Amino acid sequence: MSAADERNGHPVRRLRNRLAGALLFVLALSLATTGCGGSSEASSGAGDGQGAAAKREAVADRVEPLATRPVPKLPVTVRSADGERVTVERAERVVPLSGSLSEIVFTLGLGDRVVARDVTATFEQAARLPVVTRGHDVSAESVLSLRPDLVIAETTTGPVEAVEQIRAAGVPVLSVAAAKGLDDVGPRIGAVAGALGVPAAGKELTLRSEQRIAAVREGVPDASSKGAAPRVAFLYLRGSASVYLIGGADSGAGSLIEAAGGVDAGAASGLGKDFTPLTSEALVKAAPDAILVMSKGLDSVGGVDGLVGLPGVAQTPAGLDRRIVSVEDGVLLNYGPRTDQVLKSVVAQLYGEGGDAG
């Protein structure tokens, strides 16, 4: 499945949970329309766009654990991102409250200790675990019924009352700072590894992840020879709920776009917020050469044809060229161990086989 727990609040998580107030509420409702399922490949309509060849670069629906399985050395006391000091004495029954955090635990080689998942943890190794949380809709009762030794949450996990109820029951709860960009990959891995008593494995996975990301970045075409880097607009779409948003400076996608050699068109056009309702005026001002979307969002508007039919899209360079970059919801903004694959997919779709973004 994907960053959109299409049934409850996950895109709010994958979108870095920076949608506040009414906008956050609208997004949460919007996810309640399409249900959840396995991770999507490139959208069915994407084959009509310039990114069609990138189906070969789809992000693998599996995580790749470290070659050597680490042995936790416990107890440990670590500092949680919410300021609490957390002592972990056992880690035999672990419950990560987001797909991103589950991905880190499994990639560290400790997936056999995970006893449940958030609906956004859809990679193959976790798919059969029972779903006990749904993004912002964490059920303290469901989590506690599993008798966890450790619960790992995001700073944006909610409702806050549920997280506090779990902690009040005596269960160690580690809060990890929500990811905003590529620089957060290592710190998040380190925080999870530290709480699990495998800090050395955390360093190894961080190094592996950073090296792989760097390798992809080295292969990004140099757009400067063409006079300008491609402008990429990140759109959040849920057509069945009529939710159409354009990402701004704090959407969480800017770091990925920049790593792919592009310019965040929304931020560059002056959109300082996280997300803004999509209008023809906003799109014309952003003037994107390409549009980045989550695959389920693209599906929800009828693929590339439906996206180009939205007001203003056809009038942009991206719409005219049908240059759409689509990545599976569950990994697009995770900024975790599979980020190199995400970046590779974005680069392949953005530049095409000929390495030409324009």
Side-chain angles (χ1 to χ4, degrees), residues 117-357:
R117 67 183 175 96
D118 179 83
V119 72
T120 61
T122 57
F123 52 90
E124 185 177 320
Q125 294 99 318
R128 294 189 179 184
L129 290 171
V131 176
V132 295
T133 65
R134 296 179 180 273
H136 264 324
D137 188 22
V138 173
S139 168
E141 292 76 13
S142 295
V143 173
L144 291 172
S145 71
L146 295 165
R147 298 173 287 106
D149 301 318
L150 173 65
V151 170
I152 309 176
E154 308 261 359
T155 49
T156 46
T157 297
V160 174
E161 294 78 10
V163 176
E164 289 305 317
Q165 185 178 342
I166 296 170
R167 184 171 274 154
V171 178
V173 177
L174 175 75
S175 182
V176 179
K180 297 181 180 180
L182 291 172
D183 289 343
D184 296 318
V185 172
R188 283 168 60 83
I189 291 173
V192 173
L196 291 170
V198 291
K203 292 179 180 178
E204 180 183 351
L205 180 56
T206 294
L207 180 60
R208 188 185 84 176
S209 300
E210 292 177 345
Q211 288 177 336
R212 290 180 175 183
I213 291 170
V216 177
R217 297 185 74 165
E218 287 178 1
V220 174
D222 182 7
S224 62
S225 61
K226 299 182 180 298
R231 295 170 64 90
V232 183
F234 175 42
L235 303 188
Y236 177 76
L237 310 170
R238 284 300 177 266
S240 53
S242 298
V243 174
Y244 311 104
L245 306 172
I246 180 170
D250 200 28
S251 72
S255 178
L256 187 65
I257 292 170
E258 291 169 6
V263 173
D264 185 337
S269 68
L271 298 178
K273 299 196 305 180
D274 35 38
F275 289 88
T276 300
L278 185 63
T279 64
S280 297
E281 294 75 14
L283 272 175
V284 169
K285 188 174 182 181
D289 300 305
I291 292 174
L292 172 65
V293 293
M294 292 180 177
S295 56
K296 284 185 179 291
L298 185 58
D299 287 339
S300 78
V301 297
V304 173
D305 287 338
L307 175 55
V308 173
L310 293 179
V313 174
Q315 285 69 54
T316 66
L320 290 170
D321 292 340
R322 299 172 67 83
R323 190 175 296 278
I324 312 301
V325 178
S326 173
V327 178
E328 293 87 343
D329 306 42
V331 294
L332 177 58
L333 300 181
N334 264 7
Y335 293 117
R338 287 189 288 174
T339 296
D340 64 296
Q341 296 179 46
V342 174
L343 181 58
K344 184 177 181 181
S345 179
V346 171
V347 170
Q349 295 178 74
L350 181 58
Y351 297 95
E353 291 185 350
D356 186 353

